[in-house]
Amino acid sequence: MPKNGLLQALDELLEHDSRYDREAYLFLKEALEFTVKQKRKTRTNEVSHVTPAELIDGVRLYALREFGPMVPTVLDYWGVKTCGDVGEMVFNLIHAGVFGKNDTDSIEDFQNGFDFHAAFVEPFLPSTKCSSGEPKSSDRPVA
């Protein structure tokens, strides 16, 4: 879909459903493109349909790559708090004619994705143990 067509589709979509920011939809389209490129690297040049599970993982990887430790802040600002939200956005784009789907794809496929805290916060938490397994001196209580 040409960029102008996408923007027009987003304008119409946002008039009916404003739960998610326009930038979230543009990010989702970029994450889909990223996922397709990743599939091409690991398979033949022929890319079949991207499954919901592949797209969810692509969203996770692309978000971490683009925003690092700011992912939770950015996604929350856009209204995206769970993989279920990603599914809602995908199906909004399907209904707007931007994305396509197979007969077997359903919005429920997005409900059991990853935990946002585990995926986007935990990787950036400081380690509380030294490599020896002992707590760091700064973690020990002061006597």
Side-chain angles (χ1 to χ4, degrees):
M1 172 173 278
K3 186 155 183 139
N4 289 342
L6 170 64
L7 298 177
Q8 183 177 357
L10 287 178
D11 287 342
E12 293 171 14
L13 188 159
L14 291 168
E15 283 181 27
H16 301 288
D17 185 347
S18 61
R19 290 178 292 170
Y20 310 108
D21 193 271
R22 170 188 299 276
E23 291 299 315
Y25 286 103
L26 295 173
F27 168 81
L28 182 58
K29 182 158 183 348
E30 290 172 4
L32 174 62
E33 292 167 358
F34 170 82
T35 304
V36 168
K37 286 179 187 173
Q38 293 300 107
K39 280 184 77 165
R40 281 193 181 122
K41 286 180 184 177
T42 60
R43 298 191 178 108
T44 64
N45 282 340
E46 181 183 324
V47 175
S48 61
H49 176 73
V50 173
T51 67
E54 290 170 330
L55 180 55
I56 289 171
D57 193 50
V59 165
R60 180 184 61 79
L61 293 172
Y62 189 65
L64 288 168
R65 182 178 138 200
E66 291 297 305
F67 306 117
M70 293 299 296
V71 173
T73 303
V74 172
L75 293 182
D76 186 64
Y77 181 78
W78 290 341
V80 182
K81 298 172 186 356
T82 67
C83 289
D85 289 324
V86 173
E88 292 285 337
M89 292 171 47
V90 166
F91 274 78
N92 281 347
L93 291 171
I94 290 168
H95 293 128
V98 177
F99 283 7
K101 77 177 203 72
N102 282 349
D103 292 338
T104 59
D105 293 337
S106 75
I107 198 162
E108 290 78 21
D109 294 334
F110 292 88
Q111 299 303 321
N112 296 319
F114 57 84
D115 175 76
F116 270 38
H117 186 271
F120 299 136
V121 175
E122 290 177 13
F124 299 102
L125 292 176
S127 173
T128 58
K129 296 189 180 201
C130 294
S131 59
S132 66
E134 291 294 317
K136 294 180 199 173
S137 59
S138 61
D139 293 340
R140 293 187 196 132
V142 178

